[in-house]
């Protein structure tokens, strides 16, 4: 294939990857934060201890993290249809991507929140802060560097997962590499795809590190 | 100001029950600095955290400024906590906020409008001498400065009571002295009642009006400092003035003499020696400044058995001194 033939393919695939990664990352950030906060709050020693709920949430997270992505994607097809109205294409791929990444990020959120100095939480309670204030002004804020670092890891994992979205017609760089680079022995396409992926991951990691560093005042 | 009655708190960890506070009664009067002294694990931290209900006692009552906190619903309890300042051993500052931001935090919690918040923050920083560090982050300032931020933050809600949880234990001696001085000043200028817990005798010695010794969840001694110091057999007096092990021998009387304030300025030993024409041997002693007063303890040896020294002992007592005769059977106390 000539470079002129590769370029439009590469451009479309990159856009699809970005589209899948962006939307799934957005939903993952929201869902993961919510689930992570709930995990910390409902723990036996948390601010709102509900041990049974904590155990149920923990089990759900573990189940979500046990399934290989390719299996999960197929297993939740009915759910994907209910949400997006379709089971194929880029939009349809966003649903399983988010579903797979939310429990992953939730665990990272949980870890980051547990790093917050208990003395700060005690101080906030002693000041008469409500649970909502403690979560918003203390927990989430103090843990920001860790939350950003965790999100960076998650977004990069999502780029990796999105390579498998080709299986349901999601397209993207991974799909391009498989169809042209692997199945048609187009080494040029393979190399180009890999280069774009490497650049993408580097950029995201750099951005994440930069942001995390700016938020750190320790 | 703070009334604690029959307070009890137990913890259950892995099937074992640990009684941290075991029936404590304590009364902190308005405007005084009350120190609870004890080793780690004595339950003093739990006791303090029961005062603003960070820990809920199993039984007993805590009344702060006329309010029984345990009886309040959640919302009212939070409002009451805003009127009780608290400072912590490890400061508990938000690392993500500047010094000014940390002091503003309790004001935000209370819902103080932005403009008034800024004014009040400036005022508080001035009070603790940190105006020029307003924009610094906690990681950029020293331990003593961090504790000053903690104090400014604790005072944001104009509390009448301040709880201090080992506030100087992470600081070096000079910084400790300056923080204690600040607490003393705040106590005098704002009429702030302070309940502090510590394992450092120095803290009690420097700023407390009253003190209690806590051991295994109970208060073993409690009262105004000057009274505790002159109470015979007082553990606090022994801890403040460690004396060498007593060497009692036949034909001699070993006496511990405690003197407070005025009596410390009178030359009672030379008077004693001259009046009775005896040789007084000084075995050990110490004189300390406690608050505004000089307090001292001396261990002296008089010739002759205790029975033969009745007149001499009466002479010392008449001079306003606290006199304890060590009998031969007494074991020297282990100093805490």
């Amino acid at each position: 294939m000539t470079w002129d033939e590769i370029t439009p393919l590469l451009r479309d695939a990159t856009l699809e990857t970005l589209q899948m990664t962006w939307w799934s990352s957005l939903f993952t950030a929201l869902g993961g934060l919510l689930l992570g906060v709930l995990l910390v709050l409902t723990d036996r020693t948390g601010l709102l201890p509900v041990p049974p709920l904590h155990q149920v949430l923990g089990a759900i997270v573990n189940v979500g993290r046990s399934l290989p992505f390719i299996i999960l994607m197929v297993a939740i097809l009915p759910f994907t249809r209910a949400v997006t109205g379709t089971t194929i294409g880029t939009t349809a791929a966003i649903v399983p991507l988010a579903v797979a990444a939310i429990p992953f990020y939730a665990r990272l959120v949980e870890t980051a929140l547990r790093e917050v100095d208990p003395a700060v939480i005690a101080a906030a309670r002693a000041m008469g802060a409500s649970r909502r204030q403690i979560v918003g002004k203390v927990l989430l804020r103090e843990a920001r560097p860790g939350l950003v670092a965790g999100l960076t890891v998650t977004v990069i994992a999502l780029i990796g997962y999105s390579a498998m979205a080709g299986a349901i017609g999601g397209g993207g760089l991974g799909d391009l590499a498989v169809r042209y680079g692997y199945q048609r022995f187009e080494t040029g396409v393979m190399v180009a795809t890999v280069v774009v992926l490497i650049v993408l991951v580097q950029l995201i990691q750099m951005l994440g590190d930069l942001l995390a560093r700016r938020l750190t005042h320790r | 100001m703070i009334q604690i009655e029959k307070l009890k708190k137990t913890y259950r960890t892995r099937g074992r029950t640990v009684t941290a506070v075991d029936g404590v009664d304590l009364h902190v009067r308005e405007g005084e600095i009350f120190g609870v002294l004890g080793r780690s694990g004595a339950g003093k931290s739990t006791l303090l955290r029961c005062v603003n209900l960070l820990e809920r006692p199993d039984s007993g009552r805590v009344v702060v400024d006329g309010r029984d906190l345990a009886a309040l619903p959640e919302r009212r309890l939070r409002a009451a906590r805003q009127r009780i300042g608290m400072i912590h051993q490890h400061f508990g500052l938000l690392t993500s906020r500047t010094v000014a931001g940390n002091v503003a935090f309790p004001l935000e919690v209370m819902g103080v409008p932005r403009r008034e918040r800024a004014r009040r923050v400036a005022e508080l920083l001035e009070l603790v001498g940190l105006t020029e560090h307003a924009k610094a982050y906690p990681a950029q300032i020293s331990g003593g400065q961090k504790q000053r931020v903690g104090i400014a933050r604790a005072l944001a809600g104009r509390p009448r009571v301040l709880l201090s949880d080992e506030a100087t234990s992470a600081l070096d001696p000079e910084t400790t002295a300056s923080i204690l001085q600040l607490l003393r000043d705040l106590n005098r200028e704002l009429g702030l009642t302070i309940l502090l817990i510590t394992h450092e005798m120095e803290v009690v010695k420097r700023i407390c009006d009253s003190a209690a010794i806590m051991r295994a969840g109970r208060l073993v001694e409690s009262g105004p400092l000057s009274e505790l110091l002159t109470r015979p057999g007082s553990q606090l007096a022994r801890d403040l003035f460690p004396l060498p092990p007593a060497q009692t021998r036949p034909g001699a009387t070993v006496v511990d003499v405690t003197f407070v304030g005025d009596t410390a300025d009178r030359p009672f030993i030379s008077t004693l020696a001259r009046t009775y024409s005896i040789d007084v041997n000084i075995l050990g002693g110490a004189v300390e400044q406690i608050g505004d007063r000089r307090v001292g303890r001396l261990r002296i040896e008089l010739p002759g058995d205790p029975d033969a020294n009745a007149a001499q002992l009466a002479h010392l007592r008449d001079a306003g001194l606290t006199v304890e005769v060590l009998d031969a059977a007494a074991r020297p106390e282990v100093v805490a």
Side-chain angles (χ1 to χ4, degrees):
Chain A
M1 280 174 88
T2 65
W3 185 245
D4 284 344
E5 289 170 308
I6 296 177
T7 313
L9 285 175
L10 201 59
R11 191 196 56 215
D12 289 349
T14 305
L15 285 176
E16 282 160 0
T17 292
L18 287 177
Q19 196 188 345
M20 286 189 285
T21 308
W22 166 255
W23 289 109
S24 59
S25 296
L26 193 71
F27 295 129
T28 299
L30 296 174
L33 277 176
L34 184 70
L35 195 51
V37 167
L38 279 176
L39 278 170
V40 173
L41 284 184
T42 58
D43 190 15
R44 199 174 49 80
T45 55
L47 286 169
L48 194 68
V50 193
L53 180 60
H54 179 82
Q55 276 161 16
V56 169
L57 290 175
I60 291 173
V61 165
N62 289 341
V63 168
R65 294 195 53 203
S66 317
L67 295 180
F69 178 66
I70 193 96
I71 310 289
L72 179 119
M73 192 163 58
V74 177
I76 65 163
L77 278 177
F79 176 68
T80 305
R81 189 197 301 280
V83 175
T84 63
T86 175
T87 57
I88 51 168
T90 311
T91 311
I94 292 169
V95 176
L97 283 173
V99 169
I102 285 172
F104 179 72
Y105 186 47
R107 280 290 183 216
L108 297 180
V109 169
E110 186 190 9
T111 311
L113 296 182
R114 286 193 196 286
E115 293 285 307
V116 175
D117 185 1
V120 185
I121 298 165
R125 286 182 61 213
M127 274 175 230
S130 64
R131 285 192 192 93
R132 186 191 299 247
Q133 284 169 326
I134 293 174
V135 170
K137 288 174 184 279
V138 180
L139 278 180
L140 289 177
R141 207 178 137 113
E142 284 288 288
R144 275 192 317 194
L147 296 177
V148 169
L151 192 59
T152 309
V153 171
T154 308
V155 170
I156 289 171
L158 276 170
I159 293 178
Y161 286 167
S162 77
M164 284 175 254
I168 58 164
L173 288 165
D175 186 39
L176 183 69
V178 170
R179 284 191 292 124
Y180 285 77
Y182 177 60
Q183 288 165 351
R184 299 189 196 176
F185 305 101
E186 290 284 353
T187 310
V189 177
M190 183 64 99
V191 171
T193 327
V194 169
V195 169
V196 173
L197 281 172
I198 289 174
V199 171
L200 209 58
V201 169
Q202 293 286 355
L203 274 176
I204 289 168
Q205 187 65 53
M206 261 169 54
L207 256 154
D209 287 348
L210 188 76
L211 187 58
R213 211 167 32 240
R214 289 202 141 201
L215 293 172
T216 305
H217 297 286
R218 276 180 213 275
Chain B
M1 199 59 164
I2 303 174
Q3 187 80 45
I4 296 173
E5 287 163 21
K6 299 191 182 70
L7 190 77
K8 207 165 175 178
K9 173 76 187 177
T10 55
Y11 291 104
R12 212 150 296 137
T13 44
R14 288 187 208 93
R16 281 201 321 145
T17 307
V18 181
T19 306
V21 178
D22 193 6
V24 164
D25 293 291
L26 185 81
H27 180 214
V28 182
R29 285 169 305 183
E30 182 165 0
E32 78 170 339
I33 301 184
F34 194 111
V36 176
L37 188 70
R39 301 186 202 183
S40 52
K44 48 191 199 311
S45 199
T46 306
L47 174 65
L48 194 74
R49 291 164 69 94
C50 280
V51 174
N52 61 357
L53 252 61
L54 286 184
E55 305 276 0
R56 236 167 228 283
D58 298 337
S59 61
R61 240 158 64 95
V62 179
V63 180
V64 181
D65 201 4
R67 250 180 307 205
D68 181 358
L69 296 185
L72 298 178
E74 172 77 15
R75 186 184 293 268
R76 301 256 316 272
L77 170 63
R78 290 208 310 268
R81 276 181 182 157
Q82 292 168 1
R83 306 276 295 150
I84 304 173
M86 188 172 195
I87 53 179
H88 311 262
Q89 178 175 8
H90 298 295
F91 322 119
L93 301 181
L94 294 152
T95 58
S96 57
R97 283 183 178 227
T98 61
V99 165
N102 268 285
V103 179
F105 182 65
L107 298 167
E108 286 172 33
V109 166
M110 285 179 255
V112 175
R114 182 183 292 271
R115 189 175 299 242
E116 198 188 325
R117 219 154 60 202
R119 199 180 50 73
R120 182 91 180 110
V121 168
E123 205 174 282
L124 288 160
L125 288 179
E126 170 100 49
L127 186 67
V128 298
L130 279 180
T131 306
E132 59 199 278
H133 293 96
K135 292 201 171 83
Y137 283 92
Q140 298 165 327
I141 59 177
S142 71
Q145 289 168 331
K146 282 182 199 167
Q147 196 54 285
R148 282 170 189 270
V149 179
I151 292 171
R153 183 176 68 176
L155 296 177
R158 301 181 195 278
R160 301 188 64 201
V161 173
L162 181 71
L163 307 176
S164 166
D165 185 354
E166 298 271 11
T168 58
S169 299
L171 305 174
D172 62 61
E174 286 99 75
T175 314
T176 294
S178 82
I179 293 294
L180 292 179
Q181 186 60 47
L182 176 61
L183 290 178
R184 197 22 141 180
D185 292 346
L186 294 170
N187 161 257
R188 297 225 167 108
E189 286 161 25
L190 309 176
L192 193 65
T193 305
I194 300 178
L195 172 59
L196 63 84
I197 61 162
T198 184
H199 65 262
E200 298 168 300
M201 182 48 95
E202 192 62 24
V203 172
V204 174
K205 206 188 284 187
R206 271 182 193 267
I207 62 167
C208 289
D209 302 304
S210 297
I213 294 183
M214 191 162 186
R215 201 179 294 150
R218 294 167 186 269
L219 298 188
V220 292
E221 238 185 294
S222 177
L225 214 55
S226 50
E227 189 194 307
L228 285 177
L229 286 170
T230 54
R231 188 184 292 173
S234 160
Q235 179 68 42
L236 192 80
R238 264 198 298 268
D239 290 349
L240 257 180
F241 303 108
L243 293 171
Q247 297 276 328
T248 47
R249 53 194 174 90
T253 306
V254 177
V255 182
D256 285 352
V257 180
T258 307
F259 45 94
V260 179
D262 292 344
T263 55
D265 299 328
R266 264 179 265 144
F268 68 90
I269 289 194
S270 55
T271 316
L272 180 72
R274 239 177 302 122
T275 311
Y276 295 93
S277 302
I278 52 171
D279 292 321
V280 180
N281 191 14
I282 297 177
L283 301 176
V287 182
E288 295 265 6
Q289 189 81 20
I290 309 264
D292 303 331
R293 298 204 274 181
R294 285 206 318 143
V295 180
R297 237 154 90 90
L298 274 185
R299 177 162 291 167
I300 57 178
E301 192 185 50
L302 308 175
D305 291 327
D307 297 338
N309 277 305
Q312 285 86 330
L313 296 176
H315 171 88
L316 290 173
R317 289 198 178 96
D318 289 345
L321 304 164
T322 306
V323 177
E324 290 173 76
V325 179
L326 277 73
D327 62 77
R331 292 279 119 227
E333 285 286 332
V334 180
V335 173

